[in-house]
Amino acid sequence: MSKVIHKFELTSQWSQMILLHENAEILDIECKGSKVFLWALLDINMPEKEYEIVTVVTGGLFKDGLRYIKTLHMINAFGENIVLHYFVNHS
């Protein structure tokens, strides 16, 4: 078993697919400058698999079956404070 931690830049899309490996463990999501990154622990011997990352604003609707990752407090391009909640869909 060979494991590695990789960093992935997330987009501003509400839903996006990222290519990880099966059984990936999402470790964290953080802002670096004006960009948002996700760190994941991957077993590089496992097959690759797409995971859906879903971003929801406070009060926003989202579907059942998502696993919570992290909440970020940010300032948007207009200087407004926003709170974004990140989830992963394993299906």
Side-chain angles (χ1 to χ4, degrees), residues 19-38:
L19 189 61
L20 302 174
H21 291 266
E22 285 185 13
N23 301 322
E25 181 182 348
I26 296 174
L27 301 174
D28 199 12
I29 294 179
E30 287 292 338
C31 292
K32 291 189 75 166
S34 62
K35 297 180 180 181
V36 176
F37 293 92
L38 176 148

Side-chain angles (χ1 to χ4, degrees), residues 5-10 18 20 25-32 36-41 53 67-72 86:
I5 296 174
H6 280 185
K7 177 174 82 171
F8 302 86
E9 184 177 347
L10 298 180
I18 60 171
L20 302 174
E25 181 182 348
I26 296 174
L27 301 174
D28 199 12
I29 294 179
E30 287 292 338
C31 292
K32 291 189 75 166
V36 176
F37 293 92
L38 176 148
W39 285 265
L41 179 64
I53 305 298
R67 186 175 60 85
Y68 173 77
I69 304 171
K70 176 106 182 211
T71 296
L72 292 182
Y86 290 87

Side-chain angles (χ1 to χ4, degrees), residues 34-53:
S34 62
K35 297 180 180 181
V36 176
F37 293 92
L38 176 148
W39 285 265
L41 179 64
L42 309 173
D43 181 345
I44 59 174
N45 294 315
M46 296 294 287
E48 290 184 324
K49 176 182 175 184
E50 281 195 321
Y51 288 80
E52 179 186 20
I53 305 298

Side-chain angles (χ1 to χ4, degrees), residues 2-5 8 11 15-17 20 24 27 43 46 49-50 52 54-55 62-63 65 71 74 79-80 87 89:
S2 298
K3 293 194 175 186
V4 64
I5 296 174
F8 302 86
T11 69
S15 174
Q16 60 195 287
M17 302 301 289
L20 302 174
L27 301 174
D43 181 345
M46 296 294 287
K49 176 182 175 184
E50 281 195 321
E52 179 186 20
V54 178
T55 308
F62 60 97
K63 59 187 174 185
T71 296
M74 304 172 67
E80 304 165 324
F87 296 83
N89 184 0

